[in-house]
Amino acid sequence: MKKLIKTLLAISVSLAVILALFLYWPLYQRAAPPAENEEPVDVVLIGGGIMSVTLATYLQELAPDWNVHLFERMDAVALESSNGWNNAGTGHAGFAELNYTPEREDGSIETSRAVNTAEQFEISRQFWAHQVEQGRLSTPSDFINPTPHMSFVWGDDNIEFLRKRHAAMIKNPLFYGMEYSEDPEQISQWAPLVMEGRDPAQKVAATYMPLGTDVNFGVITSQLTESLQRNPNFQLELNHEVRGLDQNDDKTWNVTVHDLKADTERTIKSRFVFIGAGGAALKLLQLSGIPESRNYGGFPVGGQFLAFESPEITARHEVKAYGKAEAGSPPMSVPHLDARKLDGKPVMLFGPFALQSTKFLKDGSWFDLFSSVNHNNFAGMLSVGRQNLDLVKYLVQQASLSDADRHAELLKYFPEANPEDWKLVTAGQRVQIIKLDSQKGATLQFGTEVVSDADGTIAALLGASPGASTSPPIILNVLAKVFPEQMAAGWKDRLNAIIPSYGRTLNDSPALTNEIRRHTSQALQLPHVDVPEQSGNVQAPPMETTAAEEGDNREFQAL
């Protein structure tokens, strides 16, 4: 008996030691070479995606003399989440995303998140329009195209929800022009593939917003990077992976990078570090050791889409048709049938289908999730797992889907689809935020969040959708949070040239909405609708073309 007790005690101690090593080892900082530069550079950007490049582009105008270094682990920028094939390409403006407008207990519709998203996307449009005017982005149709956004539902309850949603949304100037219909013929004109072959007895409803867009964030990232490289103070280093972050006594940072081709390591000192590395941002934030990093964990979810490239099919679908997540499914499961423009040609995607993975990046490691777990977030992550059993169940179900199962889901939105016409493509990885709150405890969040230290010397961007669509306003928040002195000393005034509506709200003013949208529609070659002084008209007005649209049929696909 004593021998058994000793054995069990030894096993318990061994397990405790192993658990302690597992939970504390990820935060261990190994030895690194000393910094090669005595005078620190101004900014180090980690990750060659749209977030880092957007920040660098802002700084190019606000502080052109600053020395900026960008490190990317792959051999080109925009190969992970920013790549066109790795995301839905939706210019998220709240037009069709039904999960942005939940129904309250009293039956009314909550519109604040959709309105806020629309406000943010208007900032993105202004930022991109400015870059076109400055020659940093080329022909707008290379990266943004008019693609109406449509919500499509069936069943009495869902139809009633969509009717109420439409009535609530069109009270806002930013959503003026949105149409609603329960007429199958009208819906068929908007999206013929969605209606052809559908049971005539099935009740359906749809909203249609002609001002929607399809955006290729990979093209934006690549073109802005090319522009940045014309500045001698900007340096891009590809095939370089950041493996160490250590803060010095003077609040500067030693950033240790590994040259993946030469298999060498060096350290560069910087005044400010921005972690815009997508899914890898969480682990790098933890590596920094700042107190704020202890409040976060991450849950990775991959995605897959069914892709159609046949011209006979893609030519007949020119909208992004969003559905409603089925009961018990998480927000990330909202199905949508998307018109896209990728690699210079029309493509149609349907999905997403969740993909179980422990990777934080599409090109990451299977150990990413495990290495992000430590003594700070271990209990919180377990708690979130217990609270989100519906998400766990959903992922298990998704993992068991066959091609026939995926096709069955597709038929709900494309009744005459043939299995031979599509291929399964794997998109990028999302890492959903698990945030530890002193009052709420650990919660799973579906969105993006900027995390910085108290001194404003380092910042990281965590989370997912709407992500890339709202990268310009997100980076504005970064600038305000970590560079308050520079903002007060003149940056705010310069930002007004980049974002004419900076500091103002469009949705409160039809006149301002018209002024800003006319400008961005002209620059980006997008259709435009004037909002009347008295908004709330449920009928969409005739579309007005801008001078840039005349003579170019591509710009009328949204009409």
Side-chain angles (χ1 to χ4, degrees):
M1 187 65 179
K2 289 183 178 181
K3 186 176 182 180
L4 176 60
I5 293 175
K6 288 182 178 180
T7 301
L8 291 175
L9 182 60
I11 293 174
S12 299
V13 171
S14 298
L15 290 175
V17 171
I18 292 172
L19 181 61
L21 288 173
F22 173 72
L23 294 178
Y24 282 85
W25 178 259
L27 302 183
Y28 171 72
Q29 287 269 23
R30 58 189 178 80
E36 62 185 19
N37 55 321
E38 184 174 342
E39 177 67 21
V41 301
D42 294 291
V43 177
V44 161
L45 305 170
I46 305 175
I50 194 165
M51 293 297 177
S52 293
V53 171
T54 297
L55 175 54
T57 302
Y58 272 120
L59 293 176
Q60 182 176 240
E61 290 200 48
L62 298 173
D65 57 335
W66 278 18
N67 196 312
V68 178
H69 288 243
L70 190 156
F71 296 103
E72 165 56 45
R73 64 193 289 268
M74 303 186 77
D75 57 8
V77 298
L79 292 184
E80 276 283 349
S81 296
S82 299
N83 182 269
W85 284 98
N86 288 343
N87 56 71
T90 301
H92 286 292
F95 297 152
E97 302 91 331
L98 299 182
N99 56 310
Y100 288 7
T101 52
E103 188 172 4
R104 301 187 183 99
E105 291 185 4
D106 64 0
S108 62
I109 304 299
E110 172 59 58
T111 62
S112 58
R113 184 184 177 192
V115 171
N116 183 55
T117 303
E119 288 275 7
Q120 292 183 65
F121 190 66
E122 292 297 330
I123 293 175
S124 296
R125 284 175 48 131
Q126 292 172 73
F127 178 81
W128 297 328
H130 179 76
Q131 305 314 319
V132 169
E133 293 164 346
Q134 296 298 311
R136 300 186 184 103
L137 289 176
S138 61
T139 305
S141 60
D142 288 346
F143 63 88
I144 189 168
N145 286 276
T147 308
H149 288 188
M150 176 174 149
S151 299
F152 178 76
V153 300
W154 57 86
D156 292 337
D157 291 344
N158 289 336
I159 290 173
E160 177 61 20
F161 164 77
L162 190 63
R163 185 187 299 118
K164 291 190 296 184
R165 180 185 189 269
H166 174 256
M169 298 299 282
I170 59 173
K171 295 176 181 178
N172 301 284
L174 289 174
F175 293 86
Y176 178 75
M178 179 186 288
E179 297 183 64
Y180 173 85
S181 181
E182 297 175 23
D183 180 6
E185 291 188 9
Q186 175 62 76
I187 299 173
S188 183
Q189 291 181 25
W190 293 338
L193 297 185
V194 171
M195 295 303 295
E196 291 174 3
R198 188 171 296 278
D199 183 354
Q202 186 182 43
K203 294 181 180 180
V204 297
T207 56
Y208 179 89
M209 186 53 158
L211 300 184
T213 54
D214 173 67
V215 187
N216 191 321
F217 303 108
V219 172
I220 292 175
T221 304
S222 297
Q223 290 191 1
L224 290 180
T225 301
E226 291 176 6
S227 172
L228 288 166
Q229 289 181 287
R230 294 195 286 269
N231 184 339
N233 293 321
F234 175 82
Q235 186 169 337
L236 171 66
E237 300 196 53
L238 302 173
N239 298 295
H240 279 69
E241 183 176 69
V242 173
R243 295 186 176 179
L245 289 169
D246 186 48
Q247 192 169 35
N248 300 306
D249 293 337
D250 62 356
K251 302 299 184 180
T252 61
W253 286 90
N254 279 355
V255 183
T256 302
V257 292
H258 188 87
D259 186 329
L260 299 175
K261 284 193 171 181
D263 194 25
T264 58
E265 203 164 70
R266 64 190 178 92
T267 298
I268 181 172
K269 184 187 296 184
S270 178
R271 292 188 175 89
F272 174 72
V273 175
F274 177 73
I275 306 173
L282 172 62
K283 293 176 63 178
L284 288 165
L285 177 65
Q286 292 173 333
L287 193 63
S288 73
I290 63 174
E292 292 79 5
S293 68
R294 302 167 190 164
N295 298 327
Y296 295 91
F299 186 79
V301 179
Q304 293 180 309
F305 285 92
L306 308 184
F308 297 79
E309 298 184 67
S310 167
E312 291 77 16
I313 295 175
T314 58
R316 302 191 64 230
H317 187 76
E318 298 180 338
V319 302
K320 289 180 179 289
Y322 272 66
K324 197 169 187 288
E326 297 185 6
S329 299
M332 70 181 69
S333 66
V334 173
H336 41 98
L337 189 65
D338 290 349
R340 299 293 316 274
K341 186 177 179 181
L342 297 170
D343 302 329
K345 63 182 181 181
V347 177
M348 188 172 77
L349 299 180
F350 175 75
F353 298 97
L355 182 67
Q356 281 187 308
S357 174
T358 56
K359 293 182 178 182
F360 278 4
L361 292 169
K362 187 175 180 179
D363 189 47
S365 166
W366 293 103
F367 295 100
D368 285 342
L369 172 61
F370 307 111
S371 61
S372 74
V373 179
N374 56 58
H375 63 286
N376 293 316
N377 60 24
F378 179 65
M381 293 178 72
L382 288 180
S383 175
V384 165
R386 290 194 301 269
Q387 297 169 16
N388 293 271
L389 293 178
D390 57 337
L391 175 58
V392 176
K393 179 181 178 182
Y394 167 76
L395 292 175
V396 171
Q397 291 173 339
Q398 291 282 293
S400 64
L401 290 180
S402 64
D403 283 348
D405 294 327
R406 296 185 184 93
H407 189 75
E409 290 299 311
L410 170 65
L411 293 177
K412 297 176 182 178
Y413 292 86
F414 184 3
E416 294 188 344
N418 294 314
E420 297 81 12
D421 292 332
W422 57 261
K423 65 180 180 180
L424 184 66
V425 297
T426 299
Q429 285 287 117
R430 288 184 176 187
V431 177
Q432 306 296 155
I433 303 170
I434 295 176
K435 186 174 182 179
L436 310 180
D437 186 275
S438 58
Q439 296 181 344
K440 298 179 181 179
T443 58
L444 184 64
Q445 297 185 327
F446 297 92
T448 52
E449 183 160 349
V450 176
V451 183
S452 65
D453 66 333
D455 299 311
T457 64
I458 189 169
L461 187 69
L462 305 179
S465 182
S469 286
T470 55
S471 50
I474 287 172
I475 298 303
L476 277 180
N477 291 336
V478 173
L479 294 173
K481 197 170 186 178
V482 302
F483 298 120
E485 294 181 4
Q486 290 86 345
M487 292 289 282
W491 281 14
K492 285 184 178 180
D493 295 334
R494 297 183 198 175
L495 284 170
N496 284 325
I498 305 172
I499 312 294
S501 73
Y502 182 65
R504 296 180 288 173
T505 303
L506 271 65
N507 196 58
D508 295 337
S509 171
L512 182 59
T513 298
N514 289 334
E515 175 190 340
I516 296 301
R517 279 186 170 171
R518 281 176 182 169
H519 169 234
T520 58
S521 295
Q522 177 75 25
L524 298 176
Q525 300 176 4
L526 299 173
H528 171 69
V529 173
D530 255 342
V531 181
E533 290 300 319
Q534 297 296 324
S535 59
N537 186 344
V538 298
Q539 297 297 321
M543 296 293 293
E544 173 187 323
T545 62
T546 63
E549 295 167 337
E550 294 176 2
D552 190 346
N553 289 331
R554 289 178 307 176
E555 307 309 330
F556 290 97
Q557 63 174 299
L559 308 187

